[in-house]
Amino acid sequence: MPNQARIIAKPIHSMNYISHPVLKMEENAHERTITTPTHLKSSVWKHFGFYAVDGKITVKDKVVCRICKKRFTYASSTSNLRAHLSSYHPNEAAASETQQTARASPAVQHRMTAYFPAQPVGTLPDARVKAITDKMARFICRDMRPISIISGDGFQDLIMELEPRYTIPCRTTMSARIVKLYDTTRENIKTLLQDKKLALTTDGWTSLATHAYVTITAHFISDTWDLENFVLCTKELRGSHTAAHVAESISNTLDDWDISREAVIAVTTDNAQNYVKAIRDLALIHVPCLAHTLNLAVRKGLDVKAIDTALSRLKQTAAHFGKSPGDCCLLEAKQELLGLKKERLINDCVTRWNTTYDMICRASEQQAAVAAVIFEKKMSHLELSTSEWSVVEQLKDTLKPFKIATQALSTDAYPTASAVLPLQHVMLSQLTTPNATQRAAIKEMKARMVDNFKPRYSENSNEWMLLNKAALLDPRFSRLVHLSPGQKHLVIESLSQELKEAESEIDGDCAQKREDVAPALGAMGSLFGDMYKSIDSPTHNTNGIQELKNYMTEPPLPADSNTLHWWRDTGCNKYPLLSTLTRKYLCVPGTSVRSERVFSTAGNIVNKKRAALDPDQVDRLVFLANNIKK
């Protein structure tokens, strides 16, 4: 080992130790300092920094604790540094937090209200308090919320944030305010209905608490030729639902609203015999709901065995996918694979035939995806044969016009009674048109529908004449092409007689007015004489028969036109006498849909949590929910 001995024995000052990296680091160790860049403002940096040599940071991703010299990885976050202080240097951590809070306080943006003197509690003006309380009552009624919502913590926090000086009233006070709102709204509507020709709709329903109710709505055409409607009442019907009890409920409602029997043009209901008899017992004209009539006719046709078998299988398929999450997910996968919309199958509702049409359409659209699932899961009992699918496709085409007719009549925004008999004529024409390519089951279904639908509006009934008068006064159907010449003559004669009576009443009113103003105008006449009289000035023609003749020569409007707009812009100026009868007959609804829609409102009010509501309170809440928006 002579070489090793010589190296050790060599004097240390003869080594070039400056160039050795290890020795250089040891020599410079005493020169390192812990430096914190000036752009780091957090208070935590008071206790941390980076190693630096001659003021220059050597390693920028390592942070050193000034207290214990422990090193940490740094990536622009100080979370680990704060955690270290809290765990190992709690006193320094507390001081750091205090300094950080003191530094941040001046930068906090205060509310504008902080710069104003504090408002004492209870100084809110009475008018402002009343306005907020009224809006709160309207909110509860319009949105069908329970009164208990004002006791909720979230609602109270909201009000406190919006208006800290407002004190939310108790539930008793709010109930009293709702009663007052009901009384005010009722009086306003009652005044509006005075001297108006009205049409009514009515229907019955049962709440979750098994309380039976009768809902009545009123319809009329306003002075601006808008079709208006209001819910009059939702009264509890005690005892059995006999025609006598229903008639008594309707009669009491008319008396409560000061509506005379003469002011009621007609009452539209479904075909339930107790309601039909109740209306006739009151000596009022009953108009059968066309939507319900179509439902009865279609249901009668769907009873054909071949059709019923195919529909039963579609119902089973829809029910299966509705209760099987696994197969429902598989169906969505097949829909995505085939590029179809991810839509669930529809099952029908017995009381609404149009849901059967919707079920058929959806099943036809998703046929490929459903068939793929049925094949994969080996559910052959749900699969329709080729002949059954052929029946379903032809059934869809047959029912489509009835679906369109139901949608067109399920509105309360424009007249519908005038379209009832023209639509019946169109439906019967399509059902009786021969088609050699149709299957025997479809032909049998059509024959059953015709037998059920055709005798619904008897020529000898009052409603037949009323509906035809409405059609005559509707510029879309004024040609009455759905009637024979003899029937058309009867309708025109009846309307002409009514025009003569209206003309006599108007002449009597005008004569009375002339007598009232004659003394005052006599003096003016003696001064001016005939000086300003024009020989070409037209005289006002009050001949209603001539108006009707001229009106009958008007070109018919397209079927999708708004009849009331025509009467507002043109008809009422050209045919003033005829327009008075138009307001009378075109306000009659062709369906009782408006009453049935009230059931949806009532269902949101009398829900499971509020099933014990008092019937009078139900009446008020349903009334306000439907009328306060207007």
Side-chain angles (χ1 to χ4, degrees):
M1 308 200 13
N3 293 334
Q4 186 177 4
R6 280 198 300 271
I7 292 173
I8 295 175
K10 189 174 181 178
I12 193 168
H13 63 269
S14 65
M15 290 182 61
N16 188 13
Y17 68 94
I18 298 298
S19 62
H20 197 287
V22 175
L23 295 178
K24 181 179 180 180
M25 182 181 69
E26 291 179 356
E27 180 197 48
N28 294 338
H30 67 280
E31 299 177 1
R32 289 184 301 177
T33 60
I34 299 177
T35 302
T36 302
T38 57
H39 69 278
L40 300 177
K41 302 297 184 181
S42 176
S43 61
V44 75
W45 289 108
K46 179 180 179 181
H47 307 289
F48 293 90
F50 300 87
Y51 276 131
V53 177
D54 295 333
K56 294 183 179 181
I57 297 174
T58 56
V59 183
K60 296 182 179 181
D61 60 345
K62 297 293 183 182
V63 180
V64 184
C65 176
R66 296 179 185 273
I67 303 172
C68 62
K69 302 300 186 289
K70 188 172 182 178
R71 303 179 71 183
F72 302 89
T73 300
Y74 176 70
S76 73
S77 174
T78 60
S79 300
N80 56 341
L81 309 185
R82 293 184 184 279
H84 174 71
L85 282 180
S86 299
S87 300
Y88 297 95
H89 315 295
N91 295 332
E92 288 76 8
S96 177
E97 290 294 330
T98 302
Q99 183 179 356
Q100 181 73 14
T101 303
R103 183 181 301 174
S105 296
V108 175
Q109 184 176 1
H110 296 285
R111 291 176 175 271
M112 288 294 296
T113 54
Y115 299 97
F116 296 96
Q119 294 289 339
V121 178
T123 60
L124 196 63
D126 292 341
R128 177 65 173 160
V129 172
K130 182 178 182 301
I132 295 176
T133 306
D134 288 343
K135 288 295 183 182
M136 196 177 299
R138 287 175 173 270
F139 154 70
I140 291 173
C141 296
R142 290 185 65 173
D143 290 357
M144 294 172 281
R145 304 298 181 188
I147 298 178
S148 59
I149 193 174
I150 64 176
S151 303
D153 294 336
F155 184 82
Q156 293 187 355
D157 288 345
L158 173 64
I159 298 299
M160 183 60 64
E161 180 69 20
L162 296 176
E163 183 50 84
R165 296 175 295 168
Y166 177 75
T167 302
I168 298 177
C170 65
R171 294 176 61 176
T172 303
T173 302
M174 187 55 64
S175 296
R177 187 58 61 95
I178 289 175
V179 173
K180 183 179 179 181
L181 178 61
Y182 168 80
D183 293 337
T184 303
T185 306
R186 189 177 186 277
E187 286 303 315
N188 292 337
I189 296 176
K190 192 173 182 179
T191 302
L192 188 63
L193 296 181
Q194 293 300 312
D195 302 325
K196 292 287 194 306
K197 294 294 186 181
L198 304 175
L200 308 179
T201 71
T202 182
D203 207 344
W205 59 281
T206 304
S207 70
L208 291 174
T210 64
H211 289 262
Y213 292 91
V214 173
T215 293
I216 301 174
T217 67
H219 304 250
F220 66 95
I221 296 177
S222 68
D223 296 337
T224 57
W225 289 93
D226 293 316
L227 190 58
E228 304 284 355
N229 69 84
F230 294 100
V231 175
L232 298 184
C233 72
T234 301
K235 292 290 187 182
E236 184 182 16
L237 184 64
R238 294 185 174 275
S240 57
H241 299 183
T242 62
H245 286 164
V246 173
E248 182 182 4
S249 178
I250 296 173
S251 179
N252 291 339
T253 300
L254 295 179
D255 293 339
D256 291 342
W257 284 83
D258 295 334
I259 299 174
S260 64
R261 303 294 188 274
E262 293 74 17
V264 178
I265 307 303
V267 184
T268 305
T269 74
D270 60 17
N271 292 276
Q273 289 303 311
N274 56 338
Y275 278 83
V276 174
K277 188 175 185 306
I279 302 305
R280 290 175 179 168
D281 289 346
L282 292 172
L284 299 173
I285 298 177
H286 172 258
V287 176
C289 172
L290 182 59
H292 188 255
T293 302
L294 287 175
N295 182 69
L296 295 177
V298 172
R299 286 295 172 192
K300 195 69 174 179
L302 295 179
D303 285 340
V304 176
K305 184 175 180 180
I307 296 175
D308 183 62
T309 301
L311 293 181
S312 297
R313 196 157 295 175
L314 288 181
K315 294 176 187 178
Q316 292 177 10
T317 304
H320 172 79
F321 284 99
K323 64 183 181 181
S324 175
D327 289 348
C328 187
C329 292
L330 182 59
L331 177 61
E332 291 181 356
K334 299 296 183 183
Q335 289 170 337
E336 184 176 3
L337 184 65
L338 295 170
L340 301 174
K341 290 184 179 180
K342 291 184 178 181
E343 296 176 327
R344 290 179 175 269
L345 299 181
I346 298 174
N347 209 338
D348 77 336
C349 175
V350 178
T351 58
R352 287 177 171 80
W353 74 266
N354 52 333
T355 58
T356 303
Y357 175 79
D358 295 336
M359 177 183 71
I360 293 171
C361 291
R362 182 62 56 81
S364 180
E365 294 168 0
Q366 302 294 335
Q367 179 183 358
V370 173
V373 176
I374 289 175
F375 178 79
E376 183 173 330
K377 302 290 288 189
K378 298 180 180 180
M379 299 180 294
S380 57
H381 64 285
L382 299 178
E383 187 175 6
L384 271 70
S385 64
T386 303
S387 61
E388 287 175 332
W389 271 117
S390 177
V391 170
V392 168
E393 290 295 333
Q394 291 187 4
L395 179 61
K396 181 176 67 173
D397 295 337
T398 303
L399 295 181
K400 184 177 180 179
F402 289 84
K403 170 74 172 182
I404 296 173
T406 302
Q407 288 179 330
L409 290 172
S410 299
T411 179
D412 49 29
Y414 54 83
T416 53
S418 57
V420 168
L421 295 182
L423 276 175
Q424 184 196 32
H425 175 72
V426 171
M427 297 293 103
L428 290 174
S429 298
Q430 295 193 5
L431 290 174
T432 55
T433 301
N435 189 338
T437 62
Q438 284 184 338
R439 291 183 168 269
I442 301 297
K443 292 180 180 179
E444 183 180 354
M445 181 196 75
K446 285 185 171 183
R448 291 190 181 189
M449 291 174 64
V450 170
D451 292 341
N452 186 276
F453 191 34
K454 190 173 183 178
R456 286 291 178 176
Y457 300 93
S458 173
E459 182 178 350
N460 299 323
S461 61
N462 292 327
E463 60 265 22
W464 182 88
M465 181 60 72
L466 181 145
L467 293 173
N468 277 305
K469 286 181 180 180
L472 177 60
L473 294 170
D474 190 326
R476 299 173 297 173
F477 313 116
S478 57
R479 299 297 176 88
L480 301 180
V481 295
H482 61 281
L483 297 180
S484 65
Q487 292 172 331
K488 184 176 179 180
H489 177 73
L490 286 175
V491 175
I492 294 175
E493 283 296 319
S494 178
L495 191 63
S496 298
Q497 183 62 35
E498 196 168 351
L499 274 171
K500 291 178 182 178
E501 296 173 0
E503 185 178 352
S504 299
E505 293 178 3
I506 292 176
D507 288 342
D509 293 340
C510 292
Q512 181 63 40
K513 291 179 181 178
R514 285 195 296 269
E515 292 177 1
D516 294 339
V517 299
L521 294 180
M524 295 291 289
S526 63
L527 285 174
F528 289 95
D530 296 335
M531 182 180 300
Y532 287 92
K533 183 177 180 181
S534 173
I535 59 174
D536 298 325
S537 60
T539 57
H540 179 66
N541 183 10
T542 58
N543 190 335
I545 304 302
Q546 188 60 45
E547 282 190 10
L548 180 57
K549 290 180 180 179
N550 295 339
Y551 168 76
M552 294 291 292
T553 62
E554 291 278 352
L557 297 180
D560 58 351
S561 301
N562 191 313
T563 300
L564 296 183
H565 287 178
W566 184 88
W567 276 103
R568 179 194 64 194
D569 301 333
T570 304
C572 65
N573 295 321
K574 295 176 66 175
Y575 314 110
L577 280 174
L578 202 59
S579 65
T580 60
L581 296 185
T582 302
R583 291 183 190 274
K584 171 182 175 180
Y585 286 107
L586 291 190
C587 72
V588 178
T591 67
S592 59
V593 171
R594 183 66 186 96
S595 293
E596 294 179 7
R597 283 184 180 146
V598 177
F599 304 165
S600 300
T601 304
N604 292 329
I605 293 174
V606 192
N607 53 35
K608 290 183 179 179
K609 292 184 178 181
R610 307 170 71 191
L613 274 175
D614 181 75
D616 290 337
Q617 184 73 340
V618 172
D619 182 21
R620 284 189 286 267
L621 293 175
V622 173
F623 176 89
L624 290 172
N626 284 274
N627 294 331
I628 200 173
K629 300 176 183 178
K630 304 172 185 178

